[in-house]
Amino acid sequence: MSQADDRNATPFELKVDSIRMVADGVAELVLVDPSGAPLRAWEPGAHIDLRLPNGLVRQYSLTSDSGDGSHYRVAVLREPNGRGGSEYIHGGLRAGDVLVCDGPRNNFAFLPAKSYRFIAGGIGITPLLQMIESAEHADVPWTLAYFGRSAASMAWANDLKARFPDHVEVRPDDIFGMPDLGTALAGIAEDELIYACGPHGLLDAIAAHLDEQARGILHVERFAPIDAEALVADRQAFKVTLDRSGIDLEVPADKSILDVMEEHGIPVVSSCREGTCGTCETAILAGSVEHRDSILSEDEKAANETMMICCSRGIGTDLVIDA
């Protein structure tokens, strides 16, 4: 994964062109430039960060046509027990409202392959939609196994099944029971890639089903950290230098770099605060880091080029970051 493109680092405004329900509890937002100008380019797997008027920042995968710069489309699952972002969008957002946006940025890059196997759980279908369109356009073989609690809760399921009846299996739990991963992962071809997005349990079950060699072809995007307990376990205090700000900060064991930067009035955009969204990804200029995020691959962590300052931590006193 590379750092967010500098051209997409400046916040910009988006107007809510329309809102409609596309499944039980799932709202689709179409977003446009307030002046009608073309929007920033993006590639399948990308997301944008919406800065909501209630002060929250939330990340949503882009589901529109990546070749159409006239609008962005995102889908938001209502989560009554969440932290307030989805409740605001479902209950307080209206067509015509203008939001500040960051991005697009991509932590879930769609890589070339001879064939693809897509697995979605509920709202996890969102980052996969444009990957499916790209594979279809390139005439690359693909299949989709789409799981969800009920048929009514699965956005775009009927459209996908109608368009691609030979490629798509829609399996709501209330009809078929628990996801059948044995069938979904049977007969993986050479040079095939698996792209999966959905609840933590589904992604863990997919990884557990694959042997060690096959796990190397699995690409996932998570809504929750791989190990929530590891985010706060055995934390030690450390020092960090903010290169652009010219400031040295002490980061105590019970706080993150992000926390301390905010305490010092240093502006930084964040969303999940648990290492799953990539919004706070920051370049490492020097020093060693204990990576605790759920985004970077093991190779990327070993390369030590970027870190998620909401959860990852410095080792020693020589950490310097681009902030």
Side-chain angles (χ1 to χ4, degrees):
M1 181 182 65
S2 62
Q3 289 178 257
D5 191 324
D6 288 343
R7 294 169 297 176
N8 291 354
T10 304
F12 63 104
E13 290 186 336
L14 288 173
K15 184 179 74 173
V16 181
D17 188 62
S18 65
I19 305 176
R20 71 181 181 111
M21 300 302 293
V22 292
D24 286 352
V26 180
E28 176 191 270
L29 278 62
V30 175
L31 306 163
V32 298
D33 183 274
S35 68
L39 297 175
R40 294 171 178 174
W42 58 282
E43 295 180 351
H47 70 269
I48 54 174
D49 296 322
L50 295 181
R51 304 190 189 189
L52 303 177
N54 63 357
L56 298 176
V57 180
R58 291 295 178 264
Q59 168 199 31
Y60 298 109
S61 296
L62 291 168
T63 69
S64 45
D65 181 351
S66 57
D68 183 353
S70 67
H71 68 280
Y72 293 151
R73 183 181 70 174
V74 300
V76 182
L77 173 66
R78 188 167 201 164
E79 298 182 90
N81 297 320
R83 292 175 293 175
S86 69
E87 280 294 296
Y88 180 86
I89 287 174
H90 278 259
L93 201 62
R94 299 289 183 268
D97 288 352
V98 175
L99 303 174
V100 176
C101 171
D102 296 278
R105 60 183 109 237
N106 201 333
N107 302 321
F108 196 34
F110 188 47
L111 303 176
K114 290 187 177 179
S115 63
Y116 297 99
R117 196 166 303 209
F118 301 110
I119 303 176
I123 198 65
I125 189 64
T126 52
L128 304 181
L129 288 175
Q130 268 304 295
M131 295 183 184
I132 289 170
E133 296 290 350
S134 295
E136 181 70 12
H137 181 73
D139 199 27
V140 177
W142 63 273
T143 61
L144 168 68
Y146 187 4
F147 303 106
R149 294 188 308 274
S150 66
S153 70
M154 300 170 71
W156 305 295
N158 291 336
D159 292 343
L160 287 165
K161 187 64 177 177
R163 287 182 61 198
F164 309 114
D166 297 330
H167 297 261
V168 175
E169 287 292 332
V170 177
R171 300 184 66 86
D173 296 347
D174 60 349
I175 297 175
F176 295 96
M178 295 297 290
D180 179 6
L181 294 181
T183 299
L185 295 169
I188 297 171
E190 186 177 355
D191 296 323
E192 184 171 28
L193 292 182
I194 303 169
Y195 278 84
C197 185
H200 187 69
L202 175 65
L203 300 183
D204 284 350
I206 293 170
H209 190 88
L210 299 171
D211 61 31
E212 186 173 348
Q213 183 176 4
R215 288 186 195 125
I217 67 172
L218 174 63
H219 298 263
V220 303
E221 185 164 65
R222 293 181 176 270
F223 302 141
I226 295 173
D227 185 350
E229 293 183 1
L231 294 177
V232 296
D234 301 322
R235 297 199 301 190
Q236 304 294 320
F238 64 96
K239 295 181 180 180
V240 60
T241 297
L242 310 184
D243 186 66
R244 283 186 285 112
S245 302
I247 299 174
D248 295 326
L249 297 177
E250 297 275 353
V251 182
D254 61 342
K255 294 181 181 179
S256 67
I257 296 175
L258 175 62
D259 294 332
V260 177
M261 288 177 66
E262 289 178 337
E263 290 176 356
H264 283 75
I266 301 167
V268 55
V269 179
S270 67
S271 179
C272 71
R273 307 183 79 94
E274 58 186 11
T276 59
C277 76
T279 302
C280 68
E281 183 176 11
T282 302
I284 301 167
L285 302 181
S288 301
V289 170
E290 180 186 5
H291 294 279
R292 300 191 177 202
D293 66 272
S294 301
I295 300 174
L296 297 175
S297 68
E298 292 305 314
D299 287 344
E300 288 166 336
K301 290 176 180 179
N304 207 51
E305 295 178 350
T306 66
M307 68 181 297
M308 309 305 157
I309 60 172
C310 67
C311 63
S312 296
R313 308 185 65 77
I315 301 172
T317 62
D318 58 351
L319 179 61
V320 183
I321 62 174
D322 185 20

